[in-house]
Amino acid sequence: TDPQYTITLPNHLSMLTGRPVLGPYGHNWLQNADPRSSDDGGTLHINKGAYITSVFDVAHDAGVSTGCVANKTKFWLLQQSYGWSHGARDTTGPDDGPAKIDFFAFSDNMQELTGAAVDRARRSAKRTLDFVHLAAPDIAGHSYDWRIESGTPYFTSVRAVDEALGTLLDGIDRDPKLHGHTAIVLTADHGGGVPRKTHTDITCPLNFRIAFLVWAGGGDPASDLYKRSALRVRPGREEIGDRDAEAQPIRNGDAGNVALQLLGLPPIPGSYYGSIRPMTAADPVATRKSQSN
């Protein structure tokens, strides 16, 4: 996670902007609730005092269709920040307009969300980039705890996410346009369990150690991202890592630039993770296939 915050919305914004939460190059959004209206300061840019470029900006301005489907209403912040009113001008090639997110949907049903994401990719005449947020493990952890034993509410919620991802993968496999042309970057906003039913103690590895996986849609054998990314340093099990350290571990803030890398696109302007010291996740899907998602 971010080295200073193990909180939902700030960490998701790191994924999408490539920035830490705080610092001169941070996105500086600390709230973790439904945003105020855009007219009342409810955008990333007004909060920061400067425009915060996102993965949606880079993809959309390159002619890629962008989408956001989420299990929590607080992600409306993205639509407010990158919609017609507050998105930046497109200065890259043909003018695709200031609205950087083409499709935005909310549902509390994970199967509906993943179904909507794969259906959108299937119908799109363009390449696509989609942010898909699935909330069940977070809800279970806060309601009960983060125990992973079989049969616990948390374990059951993880299985539900697995089934939702199965819907996504099944839809990809069944469509010749998507099969072998699609990549997935899978990570989390935080761990959990300390204190019980929450994840706010940033000294505890259970809260800040998370999964980061990249599936490039091919049949290549699994490999260790740290071994592929010589510019990154693997932290010790009890280490968080310093925000300003020259050598960084792999963080969820790398997700946006990894997705762009897989699309054969440049990193997010102003980003820190995956820009100064890039990861090497996989060959761009765009170089392997004429259509990529």
Side-chain angles (χ1 to χ4, degrees):
T1 70
D2 180 85
Q4 295 173 281
Y5 278 82
T6 54
I7 299 173
T8 296
L9 197 52
N11 267 269
H12 279 102
L13 296 173
S14 290
M15 296 178 201
L16 297 170
T17 65
R19 296 169 178 256
V21 176
L22 295 179
Y25 39 82
H27 58 70
N28 296 128
W29 188 272
L30 303 181
Q31 301 171 47
N32 193 35
D34 288 355
R36 293 173 292 178
S37 71
S38 56
D39 293 335
D40 191 29
T43 76
L44 279 169
H45 326 305
I46 293 173
N47 181 70
K48 174 72 173 178
Y51 191 83
I52 302 293
T53 309
S54 71
V55 66
F56 299 119
D57 290 80
V58 178
H60 187 269
D61 291 356
V64 175
S65 178
T66 56
C68 174
V69 294
N71 261 164
K72 291 185 177 180
T73 54
K74 66 181 72 175
F75 287 95
W76 184 248
L77 172 67
L78 299 173
Q79 182 69 358
Q80 291 187 173
S81 298
Y82 298 106
W84 282 102
S85 299
H86 295 280
R89 290 180 54 216
D90 180 358
T91 59
T92 304
D95 186 358
D96 294 297
K100 306 307 179 186
I101 300 176
D102 295 307
F103 176 80
F104 184 93
F106 162 79
S107 174
D108 55 11
N109 185 302
M110 294 190 298
Q111 293 287 353
E112 286 183 0
L113 284 181
T114 50
V118 74
D119 186 62
R120 197 186 87 81
R122 184 184 296 118
R123 294 172 182 270
S124 178
K126 297 181 177 181
R127 297 192 296 161
T128 60
L129 181 145
D130 289 273
F131 170 73
V132 181
H133 167 258
L134 304 176
D138 184 65
I139 294 169
H142 282 294
S143 299
Y144 301 96
D145 52 41
W146 266 264
R147 290 175 53 211
I148 60 172
E149 292 89 349
S150 180
T152 62
Y154 182 76
F155 189 89
T156 301
S157 73
V158 173
R159 292 196 62 164
V161 168
D162 191 60
E163 291 172 1
L165 291 173
T167 297
L168 189 65
L169 291 167
D170 186 58
I172 291 168
D173 285 343
R174 290 174 179 271
D175 193 306
K177 190 181 82 168
L178 302 181
H179 180 73
H181 306 239
T182 306
I184 295 174
V185 180
L186 179 66
T187 189
D189 49 345
H190 53 72
V194 182
R196 185 172 177 264
K197 295 188 179 183
T198 189
H199 44 78
T200 54
D201 183 347
I202 65 165
T203 69
C204 178
L206 286 174
N207 292 339
F208 66 79
R209 299 279 298 219
I210 55 172
F212 193 105
L213 303 108
V214 179
W215 177 74
D220 296 338
S223 60
D224 187 331
L225 284 174
Y226 276 107
K227 291 181 179 178
R228 297 176 63 100
S229 305
L231 298 177
R232 298 308 183 89
V233 56
R234 187 192 303 271
R237 292 196 61 83
E238 303 299 321
E239 295 176 351
I240 301 173
D242 185 83
R243 184 192 72 205
D244 301 314
E246 183 177 357
Q248 287 286 328
I250 294 171
R251 298 194 185 278
N252 54 16
D254 283 290
N257 279 331
V258 168
L260 293 174
Q261 179 190 122
L262 290 163
L263 283 164
L265 297 175
I268 304 164
S271 61
Y272 180 73
Y273 299 126
S275 176
I276 298 172
R277 289 177 174 265
M279 287 174 54
T280 305
D283 294 331
V285 179
T287 66
R288 294 189 280 114
K289 301 289 184 179
S290 60
Q291 278 278 344
S292 63
N293 295 272

